[in-house]
Amino acid sequence: MNQAARRIGRTLALVLPVVLVLSGTLAVTRVPWAAPNAESQVLTASSDAASSQARARAPHEVLRDKLLTELQEKNPGVALTHLQEATNGRPSLARYCVDIARVLGQAAVAKYHSAKKAQAYSRPVCDTSYASGVSQGH
């Protein structure tokens, strides 16, 4: 009797963790990574792309890319205003403000092919970083 109980205990000790892991894994096979309404993006537990999709981009990188898109679609003034609003609303982004403003200045020169026209959109955001970017882009 004692030997049978021991065998059952060993079997449960080996099987139970596997069952728990599999049931937990199967419970999260449908996870939308892009947006709440992105039904098409589904990640399965065995996907090789899981590690690359799971890494979120840093907030300052997302902000930089968004502002560069705004600069191209609208103008640098709009992007600089939104940069100021973002850093005021989220102080943790302030340490990236100088770099983002400099990149915006360089992108403005590339868009207009003129440092003078790019400089016309200058705003007092992050000291003179936008102007520094304009001069680097020229």
Side-chain angles (χ1 to χ4, degrees):
M1 180 76 174
N2 195 10
Q3 191 176 14
R6 220 178 260 165
R7 193 174 326 140
I8 292 172
R10 272 190 240 146
T11 303
L12 282 176
L14 291 173
V15 173
L16 191 59
V18 172
V19 170
L20 290 173
V21 167
L22 286 176
S23 64
T25 302
L26 294 174
V28 294
T29 56
R30 290 187 54 88
V31 179
W33 290 100
N37 61 355
E39 290 293 322
S40 64
Q41 292 191 358
V42 176
L43 178 67
T44 59
S46 63
S47 174
D48 291 326
S51 61
S52 64
Q53 286 182 353
R55 271 187 231 116
R57 292 180 51 213
H60 70 278
E61 293 172 341
V62 172
L63 176 63
R64 181 196 61 222
D65 292 348
K66 178 184 167 213
L67 295 174
L68 284 169
T69 301
E70 277 187 342
L71 183 141
Q72 293 303 321
E73 292 174 354
K74 297 176 184 171
N75 65 58
V78 172
L80 288 170
T81 299
H82 289 153
L83 174 60
Q84 184 67 53
E85 291 170 355
T87 54
N88 288 343
R90 215 167 154 190
S92 62
L93 293 172
R95 66 180 171 168
Y96 303 103
C97 187
V98 169
D99 292 332
I100 294 172
R102 188 175 301 124
V103 168
L104 290 174
Q106 293 168 349
V109 171
K111 177 181 179 177
Y112 297 117
H113 305 290
S114 165
K116 186 175 181 179
K117 182 160 183 167
Q119 190 61 39
Y121 290 100
S122 185
R123 303 274 190 284
V125 179
C126 308
D127 298 325
T128 59
S129 302
Y130 177 80
S132 172
V134 169
S135 68
Q136 287 175 351
H138 180 61

